[in-house]
Amino acid sequence: MGIRKEVLFKIKPVDLANKTKFKKVSEYFGENTFNAGAMKKVLSQGTFSAFNRWLSEGKVITLEQANEIATAMKNWAIAKGASYYTHWFQPMTGLTAEKHDSFISFIGPGKVIEKFSGSKLIQGEPDASSFPSGGVRSTFEARGYTAWDPSSPAFIIESKLGKTLCIPTIFVSYHGEALDKKLPLLRSDDALNRSALNLLHLFGHKGVKKVFSTCGPEQEYFLIDKNYYNLRQDLVMTGRTLVGAPSPKGQQMEDQYFGSIKERVINFMFEVAEEAYKLGIPVMTRHNEVAPHQYEFAPIFEESNLAADHNQLLMELMKKIALRHDMVCLLHEKPFAGINGSGKHVNWSLSDDQGNNLLNPGQTPEQNLQFLAVLVAVLRAVYKHSDLLRAAVAHSGNEHRLGANEAPPAIMSVFLGEQLTKILGMLENGVKASGSKQGVIDLGIGKLPKFNQDTTDRNRTSPFAFTGNKFEFRAVGSSQNISTPIMIINTIIAESLDYVAEKIKAASRGKDFNAAVLKVVSEVAKETKDIRFEGNNYSQEWLKEAKKRKLPNVASTAEALKALTKKENIELFEKYKVLSKEEIVSRYHIWVEMYCKLIEIEANTLNEMVNSSVVPPGLEYEELVADNLTKIIALKKQTGLKLEAKAIEDRKAHLSGVVSIIYYVRHNTREMMELMHKSEHLSPEKKAELFFEKIKPYMEHIRKHVDALECVVSDEHWDLPKYREMLFIK
Ligand code: ADP
Ligand code: MG
């Protein structure tokens, strides 16, 4: 029996007998987090207040207070069964990292107690030399420090034989440069806070003390049976299939999206949600996505920093829990060719400490005006810095997805919806709204329609779409850490909020404030008009139109990343104290290198697969066909078997077909590998260029021939699980 067939018999329902019974979520939500509620119970009043002041006003706590928190945290964790703790951080790999230490401490020969001090809580010192730093930290200065991020609660990760206390931290070099993704995000929220407060104060909101970004990331993913996964070197090594013929049925029946969720998958979803709730992750929505075996989870939005931590944790939970259900969770942007890939729509908005969403149109004329000021600031940010937004989503996996008829193209544009487009159009043209129909508000300086949030007004092809009271950045890849896209959005919008605020200040000097705001809104709307697009972003017309508007359309990752090294962009990040020149340039180098390494792994995996799993079954089948032909011809000679010449020709053609496909597969693979060898001495930038322009097309070409072979070779000989199995067998 072929190895693939064996898998068929291995697939059986997972034993769910020892899974927990139903509990009300409100009774256990966040039970594994040392959150405000847990802290309040165990800390002295003074320390608890000091901690809260640290969060709201940035006034750092004393070492004594840190000691008190550390001891309380340790006692809380031990009471829950934890024996180890770790600083949990997000290095530039895009994943999370942890180095575990036990709580034990000697108190005499052979005698230990559990101990945890404030200094250990506040700072850790993992050896940083094995994390990418892009040259920020030379190896002889291998120290890296993790420092406690009090804004994200510590949490406990459970495994069958033990529990670990995880303390969210930032990761910095000896000189304080960011070596991670979290510190820049925190800094960008600070920048956004300053700029947004500046604008809000102009509008008279003196009471607002803090503004922060909010985020709700919709996470798409695939689930496939573990047994099939393990038979595919490409999925194991690269997260995507490098070969594989499309199955006759793909997503064309449109029967998966929002379809009823299969039992095996819903059990997985229940368990993910339960584990997520324990960690305080507010998972909310779950459904089938467009492609077969594709799904989505979306949480209730939170402060960006928390949302980013939670999304990282959620991805880890999904991978871990899928295995418990004998499935593998694929987070790659394009695991299967020919059907939809996975994205992570990052919903983004701004909120103040009084619970107001600054992108909420509002009820009064004043609120509407302020909303319009913030809105045009967003428009300007995307208009001016679309190159940075593109860089924010530039990585190898996303290269397969952007513009592939399922995700927005690499051209950044903003969708606003009919109503807002009309309003901005009126303002730009200096036309005042006529009449005072219902829903039209008299500003005393012209009339503005009352906005209503039209949730049906959606454009699912737009990379940056306004969806009623938030923007949805739809170009982010499913495997990405969202910290970087949010950090970039925060920074470019901080700058534009300042720009708008300065313009309003200048225009309102000695003039009516409302009139001045409207004037500025119209000017900025006009200046940035080219970034707005309401049509179908997948269409050819848009490609042409965007070119006319001179909007960048960068397909290659390495090319897109160059935006990070532009002088004006470095100045922007430095001005807003989000990244220093050294930090941003190092990021550029890390990401270009990472791109090269990923393509290298893909090319080497493809080479190995061709040699070990594609050509051998091809040859076996070729032999079968050749033997068969020899035998038939021999029989004809020996016994005078009557054979139509056409039938013999057909067999011969079949055999030559197989021989030539194998030739093309081998020939192209050899050429690709020769090119790979030649590339060894190139700089990462040159390598990335070569990989994009030459190696990737080779890989596509090889795939085409391999897939043709898959379609002729007998099922019995072909050991690689097929699309029709991986994507359809439940
Ligand atoms: P859709 O698929 O229609 O875009 P979903 O309900 O799947 O919508 O996801 C919308 C996401 O946007 C949710 O995670 C939601 O919490 C988030 N969201 C809603 N309001 C805000 C906001 N003000 N800021 C950030 N995210 C938000
Ligand atoms: Mg959704």
Side-chain angles (χ1 to χ4, degrees), residues 36 54 72 78 120 223 250 294 332 408 452 473 484 489 492 576 651 697:
W54 187 16
I78 290 177
K120 281 191 175 154
L223 285 174
Q294 192 188 25
H332 192 283
N452 51 36
F473 186 26
T484 300
I489 294 175
I492 62 179
Y576 284 89
R651 293 295 174 88

Side-chain angles (χ1 to χ4, degrees), residues 285-515:
T285 310
R286 60 185 192 198
H287 61 78
N288 283 4
E289 260 302 329
V290 170
H293 271 347
Q294 192 188 25
Y295 310 93
E296 178 184 304
F297 267 126
I300 298 176
F301 70 95
E302 300 176 277
E303 264 188 58
S304 291
N305 179 34
L306 262 188
D309 279 5
H310 283 166
N311 182 250
Q312 289 296 116
L313 271 176
L314 182 67
M315 289 196 285
E316 283 169 23
L317 279 181
M318 286 159 65
K319 285 193 273 190
K320 191 163 83 180
I321 292 167
L323 287 173
R324 292 187 199 156
H325 293 254
D326 276 355
M327 295 187 288
V328 174
C329 174
L330 303 174
L331 292 169
H332 192 283
E333 282 68 24
K334 193 81 177 179
F336 302 98
I339 55 172
N340 273 16
S342 302
K344 177 147 54 197
H345 302 170
V346 168
N347 293 274
W348 180 97
S349 190
L350 284 160
S351 175
D352 71 17
D353 55 354
Q354 304 180 347
N356 300 308
N357 175 355
L358 304 192
L359 284 170
N360 218 342
Q363 296 301 321
T364 65
E366 286 73 22
Q367 283 170 348
N368 280 342
L369 267 184
Q370 182 191 305
F371 161 75
L372 284 176
V374 177
L375 186 82
V376 293
V378 176
L379 287 177
R380 179 181 176 274
V382 181
Y383 177 67
K384 256 209 106 193
H385 301 291
S386 65
D387 59 340
L388 283 174
L389 274 181
R390 172 65 185 92
V393 295
H395 64 110
S396 145
N398 228 9
E399 232 172 44
H400 300 276
R401 189 179 145 261
L402 291 181
N405 233 14
E406 70 193 59
I411 308 164
M412 295 296 147
S413 68
V414 180
F415 167 84
L416 284 184
E418 199 182 320
Q419 206 178 21
L420 282 176
T421 304
K422 219 156 138 192
I423 290 167
L424 291 189
M426 269 160 33
L427 292 175
E428 278 163 48
N429 299 325
V431 181
K432 297 191 172 141
S434 60
S436 59
K437 284 181 273 150
Q438 222 198 354
V440 175
I441 296 168
D442 192 345
L443 281 172
I445 40 166
K447 293 180 174 105
L448 220 51
K450 186 172 167 183
F451 308 128
N452 51 36
Q453 292 178 20
D454 186 0
T455 42
T456 55
D457 193 10
R458 289 287 180 98
N459 181 327
R460 300 202 179 267
T461 69
S462 172
F464 211 85
F466 185 68
T467 50
N469 58 3
K470 60 181 162 58
F471 277 93
E472 186 172 351
F473 186 26
R474 300 173 74 257
V476 181
S478 50
S479 70
Q480 261 189 281
N481 183 326
I482 57 174
S483 305
T484 300
I486 301 175
M487 175 271 286
I488 287 182
I489 294 175
N490 284 353
T491 311
I492 62 179
I493 288 176
E495 187 214 28
S496 279
L497 286 169
D498 280 349
Y499 175 84
V500 169
E502 287 314 309
K503 265 179 103 78
I504 292 177
K505 256 188 223 161
S508 62
R509 227 162 264 141
K511 304 250 172 61
D512 177 73
F513 181 75
N514 286 354

Side-chain angles (χ1 to χ4, degrees), residues 167-181:
I167 301 158
T169 55
I170 55 165
F171 183 41
V172 291
S173 74
Y174 183 72
H175 298 291
E177 291 115 342
L179 295 174
D180 71 348
K181 302 201 166 194

